[in-house]
Amino acid sequence: MINSALAAKRPASPLRAFLDNHASGGIILMLAAAAALVVANSPFGSSYEQALHLYVGGLSVLHWINDGLMAFFFLMVGLEIKREVLDGQLSTWSRRVLPGSAAVGGMVGPALIYLAFNLGEGGHPNGWAIPAATDIAFALGVLSLLGPRVPISLRVFLTALAIIDDLGAVVIIALFYTSSLSGLALAGAAAVTVALVALNRTNVKHLFPYIALGAVLWFLVLQSGVHATLAGVILALTIPLRSNSAKPDDMSSPLHKAEHGLAPWVTFLIVPLFGFANAGVSFDGMTVSSLAEPVPLGIALGLFAGKQLGVFLASAAVIRLGWARLPSGASWKQVYGVAMLCGIGFTMSLFVGLLAFPDAIALQNELKLGVLLGSVSSAIFGAVLLRAPGTKDAQRSNKRTSRDQGTKVHGASQ
C-alpha cells in the first residue's frame, strides 16, 4: 500500500509522457488525414484546393504550413534528437546499436524497392527517399490502440528508431533536396548559427535570444535555397540541455522548457494541420491501374515491404551477432509487428515527396496515393500481428518497466 501511494505521487516519467503525447497526437493525425480525404472528394474539394493556394504575405497558405509552421515541427525533432543522444535512449552505444541499425535498414530497404520501379523508362528516381521515413506520431498512435498487448520496451525501441530515422531524413533533405543556392543568404545563416553557438558556449540560459535569432535564421535559410524547416533543427541543436543546476533531467533547462512548450502545439495542431493540408488527394479519374504507376507502386511497396524487411533483418542481424538484445518482454513476432508499423511514413514521407516533386501536381497526387496506401497497409497488418498472444508477458514487462521508471524519477527528484 505504501509503495502504491508513493507511486501515485510520483510524476510521470519523461519517457512515458513523451510516448503518451505522441500516441494521442497520432490518433488526431489519423482523423485529420481521413478528414482531408473526405473533403477532397466532396463537393467542397475545389474550395479546399483554392483555400490552400490563397496567397497571404507573399506565400500561399500551403507554403506557410509546409515551410513556416513545419519549422516548429523540425525544431521539436531537433530537440528530441539532442535530448535522446545526450541523456536518453540514444546516450550510449549499447542503446544506439539496435534502433540505429534498424533505422538504417529501414531507410535502405524502401529506397531500393522504390528505385527498382523507377530507374527504368517513365520512372522518377528523384523520389527514392519518400518511403524511407517513419511517422513516429502515427506509429505510436497505432501502438496506443493495442494497449498492454505491446511491451513498453517495444514502444521505446520504435521511438528511438523513429528519432534516428528523422535525423536521417533531415540529412537527406539537406543533401539531396536543395534548390539553387544563394551565397549571401547562406553566409548570413552561417553567421546567425555562429551567434547561436556563442550563446550556448557563454552559458546563456534564457530562451528569448535563441528564439529571436532562430526567426532570423529561418528567414535567411528560406532565402538561401536550403529548405527553411532545417533552420528548426539547427536552432534546436544550439539550445542548452542543462540549466544552472547542471542536471540533464532538470525540467527548468532551456531545452526542456522549449520542448514542453512546443509539444502540444506541434503534436495537436501543426502536424494534424499539415496532414489535413497535404493528405487530400482526389480519386476522381483514378482507376486501379493508377496504382501500377512507378511512383505510387514504388512508394507503397517501399513503405509496406521495404520498411518491414529492412528494419527486421537489420535488427535480427545485430541481435544474432550479440551486439544488441531483444527488447525486454518482446518476442520476435512482436518485433516484426513493430517493423511493419515503421512502414507508416505519412508526415515525413509527404514532406519529402513535396520536395522531390515541387511543381508536378500529377506526381504529387501519385505520391500521396502511394504514401496513404503504404502507410494504411502497414498500420493494419502491423496492428493485426501485434494482437497475437503474449499479452500477459507484455503486461508483466510493462508493470516492471513502469515501476523501474517511477523509481528512477522519484530518486532523481531527491
Side-chain angles (χ1 to χ4, degrees):
M1 292 294 292
I2 294 176
N3 289 338
S4 298
L6 287 173
K9 294 180 181 179
R10 293 171 190 159
S13 72
L15 175 61
R16 178 60 68 89
F18 176 87
L19 294 175
D20 290 344
N21 200 39
H22 274 274
S24 301
I27 295 171
I28 294 176
L29 179 57
M30 296 179 206
L31 296 176
L37 286 173
V38 171
V39 172
N41 291 279
S42 75
F44 301 101
S46 58
S47 299
Y48 166 81
E49 287 294 331
Q50 289 172 6
L52 290 175
H53 292 89
L54 180 68
Y55 272 74
V56 179
L59 296 176
S60 69
V61 171
L62 185 62
H63 202 168
W64 276 115
I65 293 171
N66 291 352
D67 283 20
L69 291 181
M70 284 299 282
F72 291 100
F73 167 77
F74 278 88
L75 171 58
M76 186 159 162
V77 166
L79 293 171
E80 290 170 356
I81 290 171
K82 182 172 181 176
R83 173 173 51 77
E84 292 297 330
V85 168
L86 296 181
D87 182 55
Q89 292 302 314
L90 303 174
S91 59
T92 64
W93 165 253
S94 60
R95 290 181 174 183
R96 294 171 192 155
V97 63
L98 181 59
S101 301
V104 172
M107 286 186 276
V108 173
L112 291 177
I113 288 181
Y114 178 89
L115 288 173
F117 289 96
N118 283 273
L119 282 179
E121 185 177 353
H124 299 274
N126 194 44
W128 63 271
I130 297 172
T134 295
D135 190 312
I136 182 174
F138 216 136
L140 286 174
V142 174
L143 275 186
S144 73
L145 298 177
L146 298 172
R149 291 183 178 88
V150 181
I152 290 177
S153 62
L154 275 182
R155 302 184 195 188
V156 174
F157 167 63
L158 175 59
T159 302
L161 187 163
I163 287 174
I164 297 173
D165 194 291
D166 283 346
L167 178 60
V170 168
V171 173
I172 287 171
I173 290 170
L175 295 179
F176 299 100
Y177 296 107
T178 295
S179 58
S180 56
L181 298 177
S182 165
L184 183 61
L186 277 177
V192 174
T193 301
V194 170
L196 285 166
V197 173
L199 287 178
N200 182 293
R201 293 297 185 185
T202 53
N203 210 30
V204 174
K205 302 299 183 184
H206 295 289
L207 272 175
F208 179 76
Y210 293 95
I211 301 303
L213 284 175
V216 177
L217 179 65
W218 175 84
F219 176 77
L220 290 170
V221 173
L222 177 67
Q223 299 300 316
S224 73
V226 178
H227 202 272
T229 51
L230 295 181
V233 178
I234 297 170
L235 172 61
L237 297 181
T238 65
I239 294 177
L241 173 65
R242 289 169 171 79
S243 66
N244 292 327
S245 69
K247 293 181 179 178
D249 58 352
D250 186 349
M251 300 307 291
S252 67
S253 73
L255 186 146
H256 282 95
K257 282 183 178 179
E259 188 173 8
H260 284 268
L262 276 173
W265 294 99
V266 170
T267 305
F268 300 114
L269 177 63
I270 292 174
V271 171
L273 184 59
F274 172 84
F276 181 76
N278 291 281
V281 53
S282 174
F283 299 126
D284 186 33
M286 287 191 181
T287 63
V288 176
S289 62
S290 300
L291 296 174
E293 294 295 322
V295 169
L297 187 60
I299 293 172
L301 289 180
L303 286 170
F304 180 66
K307 269 290 185 181
Q308 61 180 271
L309 291 176
V311 169
F312 184 76
L313 292 177
S315 300
V318 295
I319 290 172
R320 292 300 188 191
L321 288 170
W323 297 350
R325 292 184 296 179
L326 202 64
S328 176
S331 65
W332 282 105
K333 192 173 187 179
Q334 289 174 317
V335 171
Y336 196 83
V338 168
M340 276 189 158
L341 292 185
C342 289
I344 304 175
F346 203 71
T347 304
M348 196 66 83
S349 290
L350 287 174
F351 192 87
V352 173
L354 294 173
L355 296 180
F357 309 125
D359 302 314
I361 302 300
L363 287 178
Q364 288 182 6
N365 286 331
E366 288 185 6
L367 81 87
K368 291 176 183 179
L369 186 63
V371 169
L372 289 170
L373 182 60
S375 296
V376 171
S377 300
S378 298
I380 293 173
F381 282 90
V384 168
L385 189 59
L386 286 167
R387 287 180 64 88
T391 302
K392 291 183 179 180
D393 290 340
Q395 288 175 331
R396 283 196 293 269
S397 174
N398 289 343
K399 289 179 180 178
R400 183 167 58 252
T401 303
S402 297
R403 184 169 60 249
D404 292 344
Q405 287 177 354
T407 302
K408 179 180 178 181
V409 172
H410 181 65
S413 66
Q414 299 300 314

